[in-house]
Each structure stands twice: as C-alpha cells, then as structure tokens.
Amino acid sequence: MRMLREAGFGEVTKVATDGQPGIFATLDAGAPRTVGLYFMYDVKQVDPAEWSSPPWAAAIVDRPGVGKVIIGRGAVNQKGPEAACIAALHAIRGAGRKLPVNLVLVAEGEEEIGSPHFPQIVRRPEVMAALKHSTGIFMPSAEQDLDGKVIMTLGAKGVIELELVSSGERWGRGPRKDVHSSNKARLDSPAWHLVEALATLVSKDGNDPAIDGFADKARPISERERTMITEAARRLDEQTAKKQLGVEHWVHDVGWQEALELLQSRPTVNIEGLVGGYTGPGGKTILPHRAVAKLDLRLVPDMTASEALAALQAHLAKRGFGDIEVNMTGGYDPNSTPADAGLIRGQIAVYNRDGIDPVILPRSAGSWPGYVFTGEPLHLAATHFGLGHGSGAHAPDEYFVAESTNPKVQGMDGAVRSFVDYLYEIAAM
C-alpha cells in the first residue's frame, strides 16, 4: 500500500469481505480517460529443496543467454510486471509530466486459490462506481518469449478448483479409521471407491471429459478463432513448445495445429493431486479410511462455474457416488474481450512500434478472474499487457529478467517503458 501511495495513488483502501482483504485505489490525474489495473499479491506454494536459490530471497543471478534475472516465487507471476508498472508511474512523475489517464486499481490475495472473494470486492458500491467509467482493465504481465515473440490472448478459460473426499464414515462402507490391510479381504476400500468415481469423469484414456451435461453449453470455436489458431500454428514452433513442456506427444498424437485448437477450445477435467493412506518411505500395510483427489476443471465460453459444479455433483450421485464430498475451494467463469476493443488495439500499436507483430489467440488456456470485469454489470474489456520476459510460474526457479543480454527481449527498463507507452496510447485512442 505504501508503494501505491508513493506512485501517486491518492486514495488506497484495504477492503475486506467475509474477512478476506483486497485493495482498492484510485489515481485521479484529471485526465479525460480512465483505465483499470488488476493486481494479485498472492503466490503459489514452494518446496525450497527444488530451487537453486532460496525462493523468498529474490536473488539476482546471471542466466546464460538471458541476462541478469530475479529468481523467486512470484518473480514473474506477478510481482516483476507489477513492479515495472508502478515504476512506469514513477517515471512519468519523475519527468514532471501528468499521468495521461486516471487509474482505478483493484488487487486481491486469493487469485491462486480461485479468487473466492474477489467478486464481492469488485462489486462494492465505491469500486463499481470507479470502474464503470473505465475504458477497460489490464493486468501487467511479461509477455515476451525468449525469441522476442508476444502472444496476445483475447480472454481466458474459467476454472473450478475442488476436492473430492471419499471416507468410510460418509460412505457407510469400509473402515472409519485406518486398519490393517489384511482386512481388504472382507472390507470395502474408500480409496478404491474414489478411484472408481474418478474413472467415470473422463474417457478411458483420461483425455475427454465425460461428466453428464458438463460441456453441453461449451461454445465451439468460430471460423475467425480458427483462423487465428491456424496463423498461430504457422508462426509458433512446435518443437520449442514440446521442449518447454518436456513432452514428445500431444493427446491422440494429433498434429501441431489441432493441439493448439484443443488447447483453446476444450474444457478439461484434471487431477492435480491424489492422496490416500500412507505416503512416507517404505511400505505401511494399511487399508486407509479416507482418500482425497484435488481436481481442476477448465471451462470455455458459455460454460459457467456454477453449472459445471452442479453437473459434477449430479453425475456422481447418478452413478452411486453421492457420498463423496465435493468441496469447491474457488473458481470462476471464462472471460472474453473483442479483438477490436480499444485496449487490444492499443496493445498492438505499442508492440508494432517495437517491431513486434504479436501472435493473437482467442484465449489463454490458463485462468484469471477477468469475468468479474467482462461480465455483468460492467462489460469492460479485460486483458494482459507488458514487454519483458520471465518463466517458471508455479514452478521451481521462477524468474523475471532484470537486465537482458538477449537483443530480442526487453529487461526491466524496457518493461517499464512499455507501460508508459501503453498508458499514453490508451489516452490517445
């Protein structure tokens, strides 16, 4: 909050909904146009043993072929780009200039768990009143790949994060506490009960959702979107993508273009984690009384989180798994922004001036709570923007480039300049 005040935000308020805090701030520059900023200040968990330097130390190290990078959890997702955006505001003030646009900032600390309280924060009367006059809202990002390319997305999939819990107590079968595994000869297993339930959620190979009614409203990609994907497949390198992911095959051994189309258009049912019984060194001959699966379900346009959750619950009940607890921990709907929206045209103009012809895709396969802005009642454009490069979000050795030695990629200084350019471009639209 101190950083925001120092950057010129005149009113910085910590707002709390159901005890969960968010931040609302405004910067009135007396400009005719207003734009919104979305920040997140939470990060994913870490296992320090997997990192080459302490994940909370923000060490600056030399990375061959890249330059000096900041390594730390949150470096690129999203602290580095957000710091660059704030530095851009300082740069404008330091040059003795007025900010070309008014700003409305909303921030949350629950994005990584599905933003369960963020809609309540945005829909507070004072926040809605400030946002309703905005041209749109953007999230600072580091959008460059190592080859200098920028991939722009016109939206994002929605997501549901949840746990499925199978227990002997809820099921009424199997043990209510861990017992010796020899009893499997005469007892049901809550762990196998969960495995059987999970197997009904997808096709036999695990690749296609099979939840009754789950994808009934999923919107097929349009011809315009298919054209975007065809162009992206031509310009993006398949082998680079496979190397980054550490894979050799796409599902069903499809080609590169179809793999991109699936990434853009397919809803998914994914197991994040599966835990039951003893998981320490060696063996422990028990029959566990409880097993848990952590899932995420990705949603495409015209699907909603509430309907998808209801479909999952009805599907399990219909197949005799109604005893399994379904605990949704967070989630939200997909979001979409038109390709001709002012914020999108402004981004393309800034990238073009840097000699970059961005690759444009219909949506990100990942998720962020942009639906709060694009949906009822605001109907704003919502997007990501920013030059610069980073990698490793949600993974070990996450980094953000501070000083680039790669002539195709901007460092922190170029990232800051891109935000300055973008704000002036928005003002001039």
Side-chain angles (χ1 to χ4, degrees):
M1 293 177 72
R2 177 178 58 81
M3 289 177 63
L4 293 174
R5 291 191 182 96
E6 290 175 351
F9 285 91
E11 178 186 343
V12 182
T13 307
K14 183 179 286 187
V15 294
T17 303
D18 292 342
Q20 302 301 320
I23 294 173
F24 165 57
T26 57
L27 198 168
D28 184 359
R33 192 177 297 275
T34 299
V35 67
L37 284 171
Y38 167 79
F39 278 21
M40 53 177 279
Y41 52 86
D42 60 327
V43 296
K44 278 295 186 185
Q45 307 92 324
V46 298
D47 179 353
E50 298 176 337
W51 290 64
S52 64
S53 64
W56 308 117
I60 298 178
V61 304
D62 289 309
R63 192 175 183 92
V66 180
K68 291 189 181 297
V69 304
I70 302 170
I71 290 186
R73 175 55 84 229
V76 71
N77 182 24
Q78 292 292 129
K79 304 296 192 297
E82 289 170 353
C85 186
I86 291 175
L89 306 184
H90 281 287
I92 294 171
R93 295 179 71 202
R97 303 282 294 275
K98 287 188 65 176
L99 199 69
V101 294
N102 308 315
L103 293 176
V104 177
L105 180 142
V106 284
E108 64 163 326
E110 294 186 317
E111 197 278 341
E112 297 292 12
I113 59 169
S115 304
H117 296 91
F118 189 59
Q120 299 171 43
I121 291 168
V122 172
R123 288 165 186 159
R124 290 171 65 100
E126 67 272 28
V127 180
M128 291 290 287
L131 283 172
K132 70 179 181 180
H133 298 299
S134 298
T135 299
I137 196 151
F138 74 92
M139 182 179 189
S141 301
E143 296 289 86
Q144 287 187 283
D145 289 335
L146 283 173
D147 60 4
K149 285 192 180 78
V150 166
I151 299 176
M152 289 176 56
T153 53
L154 304 177
K157 289 183 177 179
V159 68
I160 296 176
E161 289 200 81
L162 56 87
E163 291 182 340
L164 298 185
V165 183
S166 173
S167 66
E169 184 174 11
R170 285 263 305 201
W171 188 19
R173 306 187 65 86
R176 298 189 177 207
K177 63 180 181 179
D178 292 356
V179 297
H180 196 284
S181 63
S182 63
N183 284 291
K184 182 64 195 79
R186 58 182 180 178
L187 294 180
D188 293 301
S189 165
W192 279 116
H193 186 55
L194 177 61
V195 170
E196 289 175 335
L198 291 171
T200 72
L201 304 182
V202 291
S203 58
K204 189 174 181 180
D205 62 5
N207 290 323
D208 300 310
I211 301 169
D212 299 333
F214 173 65
D216 286 355
K217 293 185 178 179
R219 184 200 308 166
I221 58 172
S222 66
E223 284 307 311
R224 184 176 185 182
E225 291 171 333
R226 186 170 279 110
T227 298
M228 290 182 195
I229 294 167
T230 300
E231 176 66 7
R234 183 185 68 81
R235 296 181 57 192
L236 300 176
D237 184 70
E238 179 179 16
Q239 293 309 313
T240 298
K242 285 183 173 180
K243 183 178 179 180
Q244 289 174 339
L245 293 169
V247 301
E248 297 179 3
H249 304 277
W250 307 120
V251 292
H252 308 308
D253 290 316
V254 300
W256 178 223
Q257 181 170 325
E258 188 173 351
L260 280 177
E261 188 169 315
L262 290 172
L263 188 67
Q264 297 288 299
S265 65
R266 171 183 277 180
T268 61
V269 176
N270 175 60
I271 298 176
E272 297 177 357
L274 190 57
V275 182
Y278 178 71
T279 59
K284 185 181 180 183
T285 51
I286 60 165
L287 194 170
H289 76 287
R290 187 175 186 270
V292 180
K294 291 181 178 290
L295 273 63
D296 63 64
L297 282 56
R298 301 282 172 173
L299 316 175
V300 299
D302 293 349
M303 298 175 71
T304 68
S306 60
E307 290 175 342
L309 180 65
L312 171 64
Q313 292 169 321
H315 173 97
L316 291 172
K318 180 180 177 181
R319 282 160 178 75
F321 300 107
D323 59 280
I324 292 179
E325 294 179 61
V326 180
N327 301 324
M328 179 175 167
T329 55
Y332 38 77
D333 298 345
N335 69 80
S336 295
T337 290
D340 61 354
L343 289 191
I344 301 298
R345 290 186 282 107
Q347 288 185 18
I348 294 172
V350 173
Y351 291 142
N352 286 170
R353 283 200 297 271
D354 266 81
I356 298 169
D357 181 17
V359 177
I360 303 176
L361 285 169
R363 66 191 57 88
S364 166
S367 304
W368 75 290
Y371 84 102
V372 177
F373 310 112
T374 62
E376 294 284 353
L378 291 170
H379 296 291
L380 296 174
T383 182
H384 294 64
F385 172 80
L387 288 176
H389 169 75
S391 187
H394 298 193
D397 285 351
E398 178 181 355
Y399 71 87
F400 177 70
V401 178
E403 296 179 12
S404 177
T405 57
N406 180 342
K408 297 180 179 180
V409 172
Q410 296 293 333
M412 185 76 165
D413 54 352
V416 172
R417 178 182 52 79
S418 74
F419 290 114
V420 173
D421 290 346
Y422 190 38
L423 294 178
Y424 276 94
E425 185 68 33
I426 292 170
M429 287 189 306

CSV table of all heavy atoms in Angstrom, one decimal, residues 144-167:
chain,number,residue,atom,x,y,z
A,144,GLN,N,6.8,-11.5,-23.4
A,144,GLN,CA,7.7,-12.0,-24.4
A,144,GLN,C,8.3,-13.3,-24.2
A,144,GLN,O,8.6,-13.7,-23.1
A,144,GLN,CB,8.9,-11.0,-24.6
A,144,GLN,CG,8.5,-9.7,-25.2
A,144,GLN,CD,9.8,-8.8,-25.5
A,144,GLN,OE1,10.3,-8.2,-24.5
A,144,GLN,NE2,10.2,-8.8,-26.7
A,145,ASP,N,8.4,-14.2,-25.2
A,145,ASP,CA,9.1,-15.4,-25.2
A,145,ASP,C,10.6,-15.1,-25.4
A,145,ASP,O,10.9,-13.9,-25.8
A,145,ASP,CB,8.6,-16.4,-26.3
A,145,ASP,CG,7.3,-16.9,-26.0
A,145,ASP,OD1,6.9,-17.0,-24.8
A,145,ASP,OD2,6.6,-17.3,-26.9
A,146,LEU,N,11.5,-16.0,-25.3
A,146,LEU,CA,12.9,-15.8,-25.5
A,146,LEU,C,13.3,-15.4,-26.9
A,146,LEU,O,14.3,-14.8,-27.1
A,146,LEU,CB,13.7,-17.0,-25.0
A,146,LEU,CG,13.8,-17.2,-23.5
A,146,LEU,CD1,14.5,-18.5,-23.2
A,146,LEU,CD2,14.6,-16.1,-22.9
A,147,ASP,N,12.4,-15.7,-27.9
A,147,ASP,CA,12.7,-15.3,-29.2
A,147,ASP,C,12.1,-13.9,-29.5
A,147,ASP,O,12.1,-13.5,-30.7
A,147,ASP,CB,12.1,-16.3,-30.2
A,147,ASP,CG,10.6,-16.6,-30.1
A,147,ASP,OD1,10.0,-15.8,-29.3
A,147,ASP,OD2,10.1,-17.4,-30.8
A,148,GLY,N,11.6,-13.3,-28.5
A,148,GLY,CA,11.0,-11.9,-28.7
A,148,GLY,C,9.6,-11.9,-29.0
A,148,GLY,O,9.0,-10.8,-29.0
A,149,LYS,N,9.0,-13.0,-29.4
A,149,LYS,CA,7.6,-13.0,-29.8
A,149,LYS,C,6.7,-12.7,-28.6
A,149,LYS,O,7.0,-12.9,-27.5
A,149,LYS,CB,7.2,-14.4,-30.3
A,149,LYS,CG,7.7,-14.8,-31.7
A,149,LYS,CD,7.0,-16.0,-32.2
A,149,LYS,CE,7.4,-16.4,-33.6
A,149,LYS,NZ,8.7,-17.1,-33.6
A,150,VAL,N,5.5,-12.1,-29.0
A,150,VAL,CA,4.5,-11.8,-28.0
A,150,VAL,C,3.2,-12.6,-28.4
A,150,VAL,O,2.8,-12.5,-29.6
A,150,VAL,CB,4.2,-10.3,-27.9
A,150,VAL,CG1,2.9,-10.1,-27.1
A,150,VAL,CG2,5.3,-9.6,-27.2
A,151,ILE,N,2.7,-13.3,-27.5
A,151,ILE,CA,1.4,-14.0,-27.7
A,151,ILE,C,0.3,-13.2,-26.9
A,151,ILE,O,0.3,-13.2,-25.7
A,151,ILE,CB,1.4,-15.4,-27.3
A,151,ILE,CG1,2.5,-16.2,-28.1
A,151,ILE,CG2,0.0,-16.1,-27.5
A,151,ILE,CD1,2.6,-17.7,-27.7
A,152,MET,N,-0.6,-12.6,-27.7
A,152,MET,CA,-1.8,-11.9,-27.0
A,152,MET,C,-3.0,-12.9,-27.0
A,152,MET,O,-3.2,-13.7,-27.9
A,152,MET,CB,-2.1,-10.7,-27.9
A,152,MET,CG,-1.2,-9.5,-27.8
A,152,MET,SD,-1.6,-8.2,-28.8
A,152,MET,CE,-3.3,-7.8,-28.3
A,153,THR,N,-3.7,-12.8,-25.9
A,153,THR,CA,-4.9,-13.6,-25.8
A,153,THR,C,-6.1,-12.7,-25.6
A,153,THR,O,-6.0,-11.7,-24.9
A,153,THR,CB,-4.8,-14.6,-24.6
A,153,THR,OG1,-4.4,-13.9,-23.4
A,153,THR,CG2,-3.8,-15.6,-24.9
A,154,LEU,N,-7.3,-13.1,-26.1
A,154,LEU,CA,-8.5,-12.3,-26.1
A,154,LEU,C,-9.4,-12.8,-25.0
A,154,LEU,O,-10.6,-12.5,-25.0
A,154,LEU,CB,-9.2,-12.3,-27.4
A,154,LEU,CG,-8.3,-11.8,-28.6
A,154,LEU,CD1,-9.1,-11.9,-29.9
A,154,LEU,CD2,-7.9,-10.4,-28.4
A,155,GLY,N,-8.9,-13.4,-24.0
A,155,GLY,CA,-9.7,-13.9,-22.9
A,155,GLY,C,-9.0,-15.1,-22.2
A,155,GLY,O,-7.8,-15.3,-22.4
A,156,ALA,N,-9.7,-15.8,-21.4
A,156,ALA,CA,-9.2,-16.9,-20.7
A,156,ALA,C,-10.2,-17.9,-20.3
A,156,ALA,O,-11.4,-17.6,-20.2
A,156,ALA,CB,-8.5,-16.4,-19.4
A,157,LYS,N,-9.8,-19.2,-20.1
A,157,LYS,CA,-10.8,-20.2,-19.7
A,157,LYS,C,-11.2,-19.9,-18.2
A,157,LYS,O,-10.4,-19.3,-17.5
A,157,LYS,CB,-10.2,-21.6,-19.8
A,157,LYS,CG,-10.0,-22.1,-21.2
A,157,LYS,CD,-9.4,-23.5,-21.2
A,157,LYS,CE,-9.3,-24.1,-22.6
A,157,LYS,NZ,-8.7,-25.5,-22.6
A,158,GLY,N,-12.3,-20.4,-17.9
A,158,GLY,CA,-12.7,-20.3,-16.5
A,158,GLY,C,-12.2,-21.6,-15.8
A,158,GLY,O,-11.6,-22.4,-16.4
A,159,VAL,N,-12.4,-21.6,-14.5
A,159,VAL,CA,-11.8,-22.7,-13.7
A,159,VAL,C,-12.6,-23.0,-12.5
A,159,VAL,O,-13.3,-22.1,-11.9
A,159,VAL,CB,-10.3,-22.4,-13.3
A,159,VAL,CG1,-10.3,-21.3,-12.3
A,159,VAL,CG2,-9.6,-23.7,-12.8
A,160,ILE,N,-12.6,-24.3,-12.1
A,160,ILE,CA,-13.1,-24.7,-10.8
A,160,ILE,C,-12.0,-25.5,-10.1
A,160,ILE,O,-11.5,-26.4,-10.7
A,160,ILE,CB,-14.4,-25.6,-10.9
A,160,ILE,CG1,-15.6,-24.8,-11.5
A,160,ILE,CG2,-14.8,-26.1,-9.5
A,160,ILE,CD1,-16.8,-25.7,-11.7
A,161,GLU,N,-11.7,-25.1,-8.9
A,161,GLU,CA,-10.7,-25.9,-8.1
A,161,GLU,C,-11.6,-26.6,-7.0
A,161,GLU,O,-12.3,-25.9,-6.3
A,161,GLU,CB,-9.6,-25.1,-7.5
A,161,GLU,CG,-8.6,-24.6,-8.6
A,161,GLU,CD,-7.3,-24.2,-8.0
A,161,GLU,OE1,-6.5,-25.1,-7.7
A,161,GLU,OE2,-7.1,-23.0,-7.8
A,162,LEU,N,-11.3,-27.9,-6.8
A,162,LEU,CA,-12.2,-28.6,-5.8
A,162,LEU,C,-11.4,-29.8,-5.3
A,162,LEU,O,-10.4,-30.3,-5.9
A,162,LEU,CB,-13.5,-29.0,-6.4
A,162,LEU,CG,-13.5,-29.8,-7.7
A,162,LEU,CD1,-13.4,-31.3,-7.4
A,162,LEU,CD2,-14.7,-29.5,-8.5
A,163,GLU,N,-12.0,-30.3,-4.2
A,163,GLU,CA,-11.5,-31.6,-3.7
A,163,GLU,C,-12.7,-32.6,-3.7
A,163,GLU,O,-13.8,-32.3,-3.4
A,163,GLU,CB,-11.1,-31.5,-2.2
A,163,GLU,CG,-9.8,-30.7,-2.0
A,163,GLU,CD,-9.4,-30.6,-0.6
A,163,GLU,OE1,-10.3,-30.8,0.3
A,163,GLU,OE2,-8.2,-30.3,-0.3
A,164,LEU,N,-12.4,-33.9,-4.0
A,164,LEU,CA,-13.3,-35.0,-3.9
A,164,LEU,C,-12.8,-35.8,-2.7
A,164,LEU,O,-11.6,-36.2,-2.7
A,164,LEU,CB,-13.4,-35.8,-5.1
A,164,LEU,CG,-13.9,-35.1,-6.4
A,164,LEU,CD1,-14.0,-36.2,-7.5
A,164,LEU,CD2,-15.2,-34.5,-6.2
A,165,VAL,N,-13.6,-36.0,-1.7
A,165,VAL,CA,-13.2,-36.7,-0.5
A,165,VAL,C,-14.1,-38.0,-0.3
A,165,VAL,O,-15.3,-37.9,-0.2
A,165,VAL,CB,-13.3,-35.9,0.8
A,165,VAL,CG1,-12.8,-36.6,2.0
A,165,VAL,CG2,-12.6,-34.5,0.6
A,166,SER,N,-13.4,-39.1,-0.3
A,166,SER,CA,-14.1,-40.4,0.0
A,166,SER,C,-13.7,-40.9,1.4
A,166,SER,O,-12.5,-41.0,1.7
A,166,SER,CB,-13.7,-41.4,-1.1
A,166,SER,OG,-14.2,-42.7,-0.8
A,167,SER,N,-14.7,-41.2,2.2
A,167,SER,CA,-14.4,-41.7,3.6
A,167,SER,C,-15.3,-42.8,3.9
A,167,SER,O,-16.5,-42.8,3.5
A,167,SER,CB,-14.5,-40.5,4.6
A,167,SER,OG,-15.8,-40.1,4.7
